Structures are given as C-alpha cells and as structure tokens.
C-alpha cells in the first residue's frame, strides 16, 4: 500500500482521469472529494463488502433447509441454557404482530 | 388487508403497518425498499425478510441476540438519523428496535450470520436500515450456534 500525507486542499491523482482531494480534515474523519469518469464505480469499502454478503445470502437461500437450520439453533439454545443453569430468557412481546 | 404473492410462502396477507420501510434499500438491493418480517412456528427463531416487490427475494435472518446473547449495537449517527431515533445513544434491542442478522448458507462453510451489518428496525415507525459498523469487532461471517459452521468446543 502506498501511504501519502496530504493537508486539507491537497490532491492525489490516480491514473489519467481520477483525482481525490482532501477537502476537509476533522477531529475523527476526513472529507474527500472524488472526480472520476462515470464508468468508475466509487464505493465506501464497507458498502462493497456488505453488498457482496447480501447478494450471496439472497442467492444461496436454501428455504428447504430453513427448518433444519432453525432446529439446530433451537437445540443449541436449549442445551446452552441447561449447561449454564439459566432460566430461559423471557421473550419480549412479539414486535412483529 | 394488503397481500403479496411470494415465491417461498405463497400469497401472504399482512397488516399495512407491518411493512418495513428501508429508505435506501439494502446494499446490493438499493431499489428494494419494502419488506415484511415473517415468522413461522416451525422455523423459529428464524425471521424471513421477504421483499414486497420481488417475489423471489427473501433473506433468512436471526435476531442478533440468538447469534450472540451479549450483542452490543454500534449504529452510526447517520443511520440513527435515518431510523428517526435519538442520535446521542444506542437504541435498546427489543423495546425500541428489532435487530436482525442476515444469514448466509454456504455449502463449504455452513451457515453464518452478518453481525457487522445488522438490519435495524425502528419498532415504532417501521423505518429500517442495514446499519454497517466498520471497525467493530464483529464478523460479517459469524458462525451460527449449533451448526457445522461453529468450531467444536475444546
């Protein structure tokens, strides 16, 4: 990774057609201005990762395995509660009603 | 009562106030702004997030506290604003918000839950957002308890 220091107002050029300018520096974050041709996709990194996760989740929906998955989770919760000697957590009023 | 023909559940009826409104959709599904959360007796604690515009689009989710009982929310100010919630503190799960982790089922790895980007729903207004907390200690692929994805206890 190339690490460069910039002050507010200074820019970085990527290739022939992309410019990133540090427009403002705040106590905990910086504001960046990005100039790029329309075909260059600009995404905050965490959005890209979440997008990929969601697309994988939506595609791989194995609804026929949902019952099996639910049973495994329910079993793990019951056995977890037994080992810990806890009472089952009281369920809140169904917020989905 | 409004209804919608889904791929996996047939035609469902729902109360209009049960429809969840995602002003910005979800990452990767920015056009999908209306969903309904479905539970079935045979598949609890799973919650199905069913799109109200695409019949085949349905996410399997779980309440975050089923995946991790000690889960702590870290919703950003922008997301709290989008959710129409106070911006000076985290909302309380169960009373103010419903908090769901989207589950991915991958053959090689077993089911995992996305704890770094939970779906957060304002229980009062039904506004919802997928709240990404970059830099949080949570994993986007947290093994679902009780399944093959989980490490065996040593």
């Amino acid at each position: 990774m190339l690490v460069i220091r910039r002050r507010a107002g200074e820019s970085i050029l990527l290739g022939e057609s992309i410019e990133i300018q540090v427009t403002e520096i705040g106590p905990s974050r910086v504001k960046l201005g990005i100039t790029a041709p329309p075909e260059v996709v600009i995404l905050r990194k965490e959005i890209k990762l979440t997008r990929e996760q969601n697309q994988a989740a939506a595609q791989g929906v194995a609804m026929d395995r949902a019952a099996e998955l639910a049973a495994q989770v329910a079993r793990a919760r019951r056995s977890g509660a037994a080992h810990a000697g806890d009472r089952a957590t009281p369920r809140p009023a169904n917020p989905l009603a | 009562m409004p209804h919608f023909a889904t791929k996996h559940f047939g035609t469902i009826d729902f109360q209009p106030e049960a429809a969840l409104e995602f002003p910005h959709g979800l990452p990767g599904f920015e056009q999908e702004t209306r969903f309904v959360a479905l539970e079935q007796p045979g598949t609890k604690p799973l919650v199905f997030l069913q799109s109200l515009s695409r019949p085949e689009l349905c996410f399997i989710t779980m309440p975050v506290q089923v995946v991790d009982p000690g889960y702590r929310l870290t919703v950003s100010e922008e997301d709290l604003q989008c959710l129409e919630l106070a911006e000076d503190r985290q909302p309380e799960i169960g009373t103010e918000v419903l908090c769901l982790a989207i589950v991915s089922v991958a053959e090689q790895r077993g089911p995992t839950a996305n704890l770094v980007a939970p779906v957060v729903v304002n229980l009062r207004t039904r506004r919802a957002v997928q709240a990404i907390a970059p830099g949080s200690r949570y994993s986007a692929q947290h093994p679902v308890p009780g399944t093959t994805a989980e490490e065996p206890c040593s």
Side-chain angles (χ1 to χ4, degrees), chain B residues 53-109:
Chain B
S53 47
R54 284 172 51 178
E56 78 291 356
L57 179 59
C58 182
F59 293 101
I60 299 180
T61 78
M62 263 181 226
V64 290
Q65 289 164 330
V66 170
V67 185
D68 177 356
Y71 189 83
R72 304 286 290 272
L73 267 178
T74 49
V75 183
S76 71
E77 269 178 26
E78 291 92 336
D79 285 337
L80 288 171
Q81 210 174 63
C82 178
L83 285 165
E84 301 170 318
L85 289 167
E87 290 168 46
D88 56 349
R89 59 176 179 81
Q90 292 297 310
E92 206 174 296
I93 300 176
T95 57
E96 292 176 289
V97 295
L98 174 64
C99 196
L100 302 171
I102 293 179
V103 173
S104 299
V105 184
E107 289 307 327
Q108 325 85 307
R109 192 186 54 226

Side-chain angles (χ1 to χ4, degrees), chain B residues 29-47:
Chain B
F29 300 89
E30 288 80 5
Q31 307 308 313
E32 312 306 324
T33 57
R34 295 184 72 235
F35 287 79
V36 68
L38 300 174
E39 277 185 310
Q40 293 179 312
T43 54
K44 287 193 171 180
L46 303 186
V47 175

Side-chain angles (χ1 to χ4, degrees), chain A residues 10 12 19-24 29-34:
Chain A
E10 294 178 342
I12 296 168
E19 178 176 346
I20 302 178
Q21 184 187 59
V22 179
T23 60
E24 207 178 285
R29 27 182 216 180
V30 306
K31 198 182 255 188
L32 300 171
I34 303 166

